[in-house]
Amino acid sequence: MSTQQLTVIDADNQAPQQKGVQVTERALKRIRIAMAKEGISPSEGGLRLGVLGGGCSGLSYNIRFDSHPRERDRIYQFDDVRVFVDPKSFIYLHGMVLDYEETLMRQGFNFINPNSTKSCGCGSSFS
């Protein structure tokens, strides 16, 4: 599993950082395909990663496309793909790797999160 080199830009467009979330090449490829299908412009929109209360383990991952970043978002740039993370979700997602898995048994995004102490069988809920 290789991860893409990233540039992180704070909402204020301050100096780039090197911490936060990482995205593998497999996930980037799948994100690009889905963005094209959804008609999301890479120059304006991006993938939003978040955390919501609920799920079998207390918190659940939220992933969707957004047409533009919000004011306080952290913006991660992976070549032509941008990933947006709101400040509250960043607390739980800092250090996470987003991968894409395609096997006979499972197809979808895989959240590899060092902050997770417990997760359920579905892989989309954690605490």
Side-chain angles (χ1 to χ4, degrees), residues 45-82:
L47 184 75
R48 178 167 297 283
L49 295 178
V51 173
L52 300 172
C56 21
S57 294
L59 297 169
S60 61
Y61 295 109
N62 184 23
I63 185 169
R64 64 183 178 87
F65 291 112
D66 210 338
S67 57
H68 59 278
R70 296 180 191 147
E71 185 178 335
R72 296 184 60 218
D73 281 346
R74 291 181 186 249
I75 303 168
Y76 298 89
Q77 186 79 43
F78 301 92
D79 292 330
D80 60 336
V81 174
R82 294 191 309 168

Side-chain angles (χ1 to χ4, degrees), residues 1-93:
M1 167 177 56
S2 67
T3 58
Q4 177 73 26
Q5 182 64 30
L6 68 91
T7 300
V8 180
I9 305 168
D10 284 336
D12 299 333
N13 290 327
Q14 300 291 321
Q17 303 171 7
Q18 291 301 316
K19 297 181 180 179
V21 298
Q22 299 287 319
V23 181
T24 66
E25 286 293 336
R26 288 186 299 223
L28 286 171
K29 180 179 176 184
R30 195 63 183 171
I31 292 166
R32 287 183 187 105
I33 292 168
M35 284 179 73
K37 283 183 182 177
E38 294 289 323
I40 302 294
S41 166
S43 62
E44 296 177 17
L47 184 75
R48 178 167 297 283
L49 295 178
V51 173
L52 300 172
C56 21
S57 294
L59 297 169
S60 61
Y61 295 109
N62 184 23
I63 185 169
R64 64 183 178 87
F65 291 112
D66 210 338
S67 57
H68 59 278
R70 296 180 191 147
E71 185 178 335
R72 296 184 60 218
D73 281 346
R74 291 181 186 249
I75 303 168
Y76 298 89
Q77 186 79 43
F78 301 92
D79 292 330
D80 60 336
V81 174
R82 294 191 309 168
V83 175
F84 310 140
V85 180
D86 67 88
K88 288 183 182 179
S89 296
F90 179 75
I91 295 167
Y92 300 101
L93 299 179

